[in-house]
């Protein structure tokens, strides 16, 4: 197979998130009792955080601090986080949309959602292939996120959602933004 997947460039997410497990991370740290609150107020587990190496338009890109949220059906690329990096931007107008990096740009398919084609870097794919052949990889590939379905229903916007947890417990507090997408503010 070509290995081409689809990520979502998400203007509401404060952090990058992935449905894929530890096997695609370059580095990974488990999070105990972490969670993300989705637009429908469903609390879903956030199992870890780490770096992922992907290929966009033939260019390897390392995404740091990617949250592992198995309930998603895709990778979410935070536009907020991306545009704060030197030389990076997200541009959208009546002619289309693009995710821009210091040395290249990639067209965003915004006909339904802000979709960005990607693949994992070859070294990650080799590791993943090994895991698939041994039966330890859960194939969780799809072209859109259940969360992104909510971006099409902007009439039902929500405000700040917070939760309380015992002091010894680590938790992720989420904010549901204008786009009704899960946005992780911080891990406590």
């Amino acid at each position: 197979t070509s290995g081409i997947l689809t990520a979502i460039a998400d203007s509401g997410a404060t952090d990058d998130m992935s449905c894929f497990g530890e096997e695609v991370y370059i580095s990974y740290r488990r999070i105990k009792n972490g969670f993300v609150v989705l637009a429908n107020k469903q609390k879903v587990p956030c199992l870890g955080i780490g770096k992922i190496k992907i290929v966009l338009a033939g260019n390897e890109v390392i995404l740091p601090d990617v949250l592992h949220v198995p309930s998603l059906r895709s990778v979410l690329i935070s536009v907020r986080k991306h545009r704060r990096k030197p030389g990076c931007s997200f541009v959208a107008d009546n002619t289309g949309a693009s995710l821009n990096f210091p040395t290249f740009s990639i067209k965003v398919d915004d006909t339904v959602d802000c979709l960005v084609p990607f693949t994992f870097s070859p070294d990650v794919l080799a590791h993943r292939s090994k895991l698939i052949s041994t039966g330890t990889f859960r194939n969780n590939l799809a072209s859109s996120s259940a969360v992104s379905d909510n971006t099409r229903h902007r009439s039902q916007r929500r405000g700040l959602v917070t939760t309380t947890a015992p002091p010894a417990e680590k938790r992720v507090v989420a904010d549901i933004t204008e786009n009704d997408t899960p946005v992780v503010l911080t891990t406590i």
Side-chain angles (χ1 to χ4, degrees):
T1 66
S2 65
I4 301 293
L5 304 169
T6 305
I8 297 171
D10 191 330
S11 62
T14 57
D15 286 284
D16 301 323
M17 299 182 211
S18 173
C19 59
F20 299 99
E22 271 183 78
E23 62 275 1
V24 301
Y25 284 78
I26 298 168
S27 64
Y28 186 87
R29 180 176 51 86
R30 291 183 192 273
I31 295 175
K32 291 185 180 182
N33 303 314
F35 61 90
V36 174
V37 178
L38 302 180
N40 63 4
K41 297 186 180 181
Q42 179 184 9
K43 189 163 108 172
V44 296
C46 175
L47 303 181
I49 187 169
K51 290 182 189 177
I52 292 179
K53 189 184 333 180
I54 61 174
V55 178
L56 296 167
N59 299 277
E60 284 195 347
V61 174
I62 294 179
L63 299 175
D65 303 321
V66 178
L67 297 174
H68 175 203
V69 182
S71 297
L72 298 176
R73 291 184 284 164
S74 186
V75 170
L76 297 182
I77 298 173
S78 168
V79 170
R80 287 181 186 182
K81 193 173 182 180
H82 173 74
R83 67 181 179 79
R84 287 185 170 95
K85 296 174 186 170
C88 295
S89 65
F90 178 80
V91 177
D93 60 21
N94 64 340
T95 63
S98 64
L99 197 58
N100 304 307
F101 293 81
T103 59
F104 73 97
S105 293
I106 186 166
K107 184 175 172 23
V108 174
D109 176 2
D110 64 352
T111 54
V112 175
D113 212 338
C114 291
L115 305 177
V116 179
F118 81 96
T119 185
F120 290 105
S121 68
D123 52 327
V124 172
L125 288 175
H127 178 64
R128 187 177 131 206
S129 293
K130 182 179 177 185
L131 292 171
I132 289 171
S133 68
T134 61
T136 58
F137 178 74
R138 184 179 135 226
N139 198 353
N140 195 16
L141 310 181
S143 63
S144 67
S145 166
V147 174
S148 68
D149 293 340
N150 291 308
T151 64
R152 288 183 281 281
H153 305 288
R154 293 185 175 103
S155 62
Q156 299 173 355
R157 293 190 170 113
R158 293 169 183 85
L160 182 65
V161 176
T162 60
T163 60
T164 57
E169 176 178 66
K170 285 192 179 182
R171 62 189 170 100
V172 176
V173 178
D175 175 21
I176 306 306
T177 67
E178 248 178 47
N179 293 339
D180 279 349
T181 56
V183 179
V184 176
L185 296 175
T186 187
T187 301
I188 300 171

